[in-house]
Amino acid sequence: MTEAVTPPSPLDPPPLQPEKPGAASGAITPEDVRDGALVALLVGAAGLLLGLLWMWLAPRVQYVSNGEAVFLHNSESEARIASDGTFFLLSLGLGVLSAVGTFLWRRAGGVPLVIGLAVGSVFGALVGWRFGLWLGPSSDLVAAAKAAGKGVAFDAPLELLAHGALLAWPMTAVLLHLGLTALWSPRDPDPVPVFEWSGYYQAPPSADPASQAPEPPRA
């Protein structure tokens, strides 16, 4: 005894393709977390370069001692403002480099990558600030004045008066990376349509083959 089989209708939706295991869109994999942690570590370590460049390129503020007190050697000097500007510009440059480098390494982007870039940039800015202070002149003005002698100018310790410059690196890195990802990251393929809408407007095939023959010309 055979069971009647109904032929498929052209109006029926196509069967859904089986989903591949592990291909869920938007899922965060252990590899993504590992890449984000690696980005945070490398970008944070780049803070040592920021501190070194800041100490090397920042203008120096000089003091002078009269034997009883310490005074600015040039009261009209703008070296303090220039020191903050140097730190700010260096942070912008490192933010651009870290964003472009991260994007070229992993063009697909992802939430762990952005979080790693943000955390690493904040840590790198703090490391650069403290490392630059450590590399610069001593913060003990009394000892520095005694070592220099009376009436002899000596370098003041580095200072970052505008603490908002610490946000230059993370903000530049995250915003630029998001922009690069939005413009040039690989796009997901378009989904397969569920219904064949063109089938609603197709004429049903004729059952009589003779009706499809062309009509002979009339005399």
Side-chain angles (χ1 to χ4, degrees):
M1 181 177 180
T2 60
E3 184 179 356
V5 178
T6 304
S9 173
L11 302 182
D12 293 340
L16 298 178
Q17 297 294 331
E19 185 178 359
K20 297 180 180 180
S25 58
I28 297 177
T29 62
E31 289 76 12
D32 296 334
V33 178
R34 179 200 62 192
D35 292 344
L38 183 59
V39 167
L41 180 62
L42 294 178
V43 174
L48 299 175
L49 178 61
L50 172 61
L52 180 62
L53 293 176
W54 183 42
M55 186 275 299
W56 181 34
L57 299 175
R60 292 290 189 266
V61 177
Q62 289 193 327
Y63 287 152
V64 64
S65 174
N66 60 359
E68 297 180 357
V70 175
F71 305 94
L72 282 172
H73 185 257
N74 184 6
S75 59
E76 298 181 358
S77 175
E78 297 181 355
R80 289 182 181 274
I81 300 176
S83 178
D84 289 358
T86 302
F87 187 91
F88 180 78
L89 293 177
L90 290 174
S91 298
L92 286 181
L94 289 174
V96 172
L97 290 178
S98 57
V100 174
T102 302
F103 173 74
L104 294 178
W105 182 51
R106 290 289 182 268
R107 288 179 176 268
V111 175
L113 210 63
V114 176
I115 294 177
L117 183 59
V119 172
S121 300
V122 172
F123 184 72
L126 294 175
V127 168
W129 173 38
R130 304 308 301 180
F131 187 60
L133 297 181
W134 180 75
L135 289 178
S138 173
S139 58
D140 190 351
L141 295 181
V142 176
K146 290 181 178 180
K150 182 178 179 181
V152 179
F154 60 94
D155 291 338
L158 281 176
E159 287 185 294
L160 186 64
L161 302 179
H163 289 170
L166 294 171
L167 299 177
W169 186 349
M171 292 183 64
T172 302
V174 172
L175 293 179
L176 181 58
H177 182 267
L178 291 177
L180 293 174
T181 304
L183 291 176
W184 289 296
S185 63
R187 296 290 187 268
D188 295 333
D190 295 334
V192 179
V194 178
F195 297 101
E196 293 290 342
W197 298 104
S198 59
Y200 286 99
Y201 302 99
Q202 294 178 358
S206 176
D208 187 6
S211 62
Q212 300 179 0
E215 184 179 355
R218 298 180 181 181

